[in-house]
């Protein structure tokens, strides 16, 4: 049985002439890595926000179902989604500098999340020195050097790559079964991008997490994901094993994405073909 199953999901936003999602369907199994690819505006991030119940007030689910581990999230609403958010399902947002509160130290940001989980019955006695130790442990787990000192830093004192590691530490604080990484390397240099993606891969394997990697970069998804789902205009137009989909795309849009992905010998003229 899939861990996450989205079926015929349609979402509209007030004032928009067309739905943001128009019958999107996809699934991911336990421990699997799925690449969700497509151009900007195709509905990738809206899909992720819908799973977490984080649609803005203007968003409305028109039809469809989101099921997590057999539980219908769309029918249950906030009462069902809230206990899962950050614990069973976590998300790494793009642009960590905007996602992190600049007025709180890194350790306080992570500690807030840990305390929120404790309030729901997980780690009720995680306070004081034990809370601090857990914060430092999470920072160390995502490869931040001198984690004790970094816990006292503000986000603006850290590099973009370090801020993204903090975001990953926050996402892991509740030991989720599903991690959604939404363009996790936005704004990072190529070397740091590879380090962050390697980190997500390693953590997912070590923890047995299912991972959805949202990206517009087909080459990145092809390298990192065993299975791909291609989105266009609010729908998943094609999904399947990465090797099969790249070798024999069934949808013209997938074929166009592949042609538009530069390789080592690609010429500028080839991208316009």
């Amino acid at each position: 049985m899939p861990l996450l199953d989205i079926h015929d999901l349609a979402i509209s936003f007030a004032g928009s002439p067309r739905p943001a999602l128009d019958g999107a369907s996809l699934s991911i199994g336990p421990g699997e890595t799925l690449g969700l690819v497509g151009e900007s505006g195709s509905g990738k991030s809206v899909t992720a926000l819908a799973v977490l119940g984080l649609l803005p007030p203007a968003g409305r689910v028109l039809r469809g179902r989101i099921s997590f581990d057999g539980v219908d999230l769309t029918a249950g609403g906030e009462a069902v989604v809230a206990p899962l958010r950050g614990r069973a399902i976590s998300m790494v947002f793009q642009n960590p500098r905007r996602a992190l509160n600049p007025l709180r130290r890194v350790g306080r940001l992570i500690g807030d999340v840990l305390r929120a989980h404790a309030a729901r019955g997980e780690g009720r006695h995680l306070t004081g020195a034990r809370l601090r130790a857990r914060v430092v442990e999470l920072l160390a787990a995502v490869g931040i050097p001198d984690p004790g000192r970094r816990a006292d830093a503000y986000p603006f004192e850290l590099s973009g790559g370090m801020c993204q590691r903090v975001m990953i530490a926050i996402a892991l604080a509740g030991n989720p079964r599903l991690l959604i990484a939404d363009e996790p390397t936005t704004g990072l240099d190529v070397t740091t991008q590879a380090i962050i993606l390697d980190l997500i891969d390693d953590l997912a394997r070590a923890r047995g997490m299912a991972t959805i990697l949202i990206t517009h970069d087909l080459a990145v998804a092809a390298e990192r994901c065993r299975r791909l789902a291609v989105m266009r205009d609010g729908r998943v137009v094609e999904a399947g094993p990465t090797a099969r989909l790249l070798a024999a795309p069934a949808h013209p849009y997938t074929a166009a994405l592949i042609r538009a992905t530069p390789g080592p010998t690609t010429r500028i003229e080839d991208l316009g073909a």
Side-chain angles (χ1 to χ4, degrees), residues 213-235:
L213 175 61
I214 298 176
T215 179
H216 62 275
D217 191 330
L218 184 60
V220 167
E223 179 183 355
R224 302 283 173 172
C225 305
R226 187 168 297 177
R227 200 161 60 86
L228 299 178
V230 181
M231 291 198 74
R232 185 186 190 191
D233 295 334
R235 296 186 178 188

Side-chain angles (χ1 to χ4, degrees), residues 165-177:
R165 289 174 186 263
V166 172
M167 286 294 301
I168 295 171
I170 290 173
L172 296 178
N175 294 312
R177 298 174 62 196

Side-chain angles (χ1 to χ4, degrees), residues 234-258:
R235 296 186 178 188
V236 176
V237 297
E238 184 172 4
T242 300
R244 193 275 300 162
L245 189 144
L246 295 179
H251 195 280
Y253 180 69
T254 306
L257 280 182
I258 294 171

Side-chain angles (χ1 to χ4, degrees), residues 112-187:
D112 287 345
V113 174
L114 290 169
R115 278 189 291 268
H117 294 322
R120 294 188 177 276
E122 182 175 306
R124 291 183 184 276
H125 305 295
L126 196 62
T127 57
R130 293 185 64 184
L131 178 63
R132 171 74 179 192
R134 179 61 177 145
V135 167
V136 172
E137 179 185 343
L138 283 167
L139 290 173
V142 297
I144 289 184
D146 198 358
R149 183 170 65 88
R150 299 294 188 183
D152 295 323
Y154 288 97
F156 66 82
E157 297 178 300
L158 303 180
S159 67
M162 287 291 180
C163 284
Q164 192 58 286
R165 289 174 186 263
V166 172
M167 286 294 301
I168 295 171
I170 290 173
L172 296 178
N175 294 312
R177 298 174 62 196
L178 171 63
L179 178 68
I180 303 174
D182 187 6
E183 301 279 4
T185 58
T186 297

Side-chain angles (χ1 to χ4, degrees), residues 83-137:
L84 299 176
R85 188 186 300 129
R87 294 176 68 183
I89 310 170
S90 283
M91 186 167 176
V92 176
F93 296 90
Q94 54 181 303
N95 197 336
R97 290 197 183 280
R98 291 181 59 187
L100 296 173
N101 186 335
L103 302 180
R104 286 182 181 268
R105 298 180 191 272
V106 164
R108 179 75 180 276
L109 291 170
I110 300 174
D112 287 345
V113 174
L114 290 169
R115 278 189 291 268
H117 294 322
R120 294 188 177 276
E122 182 175 306
R124 291 183 184 276
H125 305 295
L126 196 62
T127 57
R130 293 185 64 184
L131 178 63
R132 171 74 179 192
R134 179 61 177 145
V135 167
V136 172
E137 179 185 343

Side-chain angles (χ1 to χ4, degrees), residues 22-97:
D22 191 14
S25 297
L26 62 86
S27 65
I28 180 171
E32 185 182 13
T33 301
L34 173 71
L36 188 58
V37 300
E39 61 193 292
S40 297
S42 61
K44 305 185 301 298
S45 294
V46 172
T47 301
L49 293 175
V51 170
L52 287 160
L54 294 178
L55 289 174
R60 184 166 64 96
V61 176
L62 302 177
R63 68 176 190 274
R65 185 188 73 250
I66 303 172
S67 176
F68 181 80
D69 200 18
V71 177
D72 190 343
L73 305 186
T74 42
E78 180 66 9
V80 171
V81 178
L84 299 176
R85 188 186 300 129
R87 294 176 68 183
I89 310 170
S90 283
M91 186 167 176
V92 176
F93 296 90
Q94 54 181 303
N95 197 336
R97 290 197 183 280

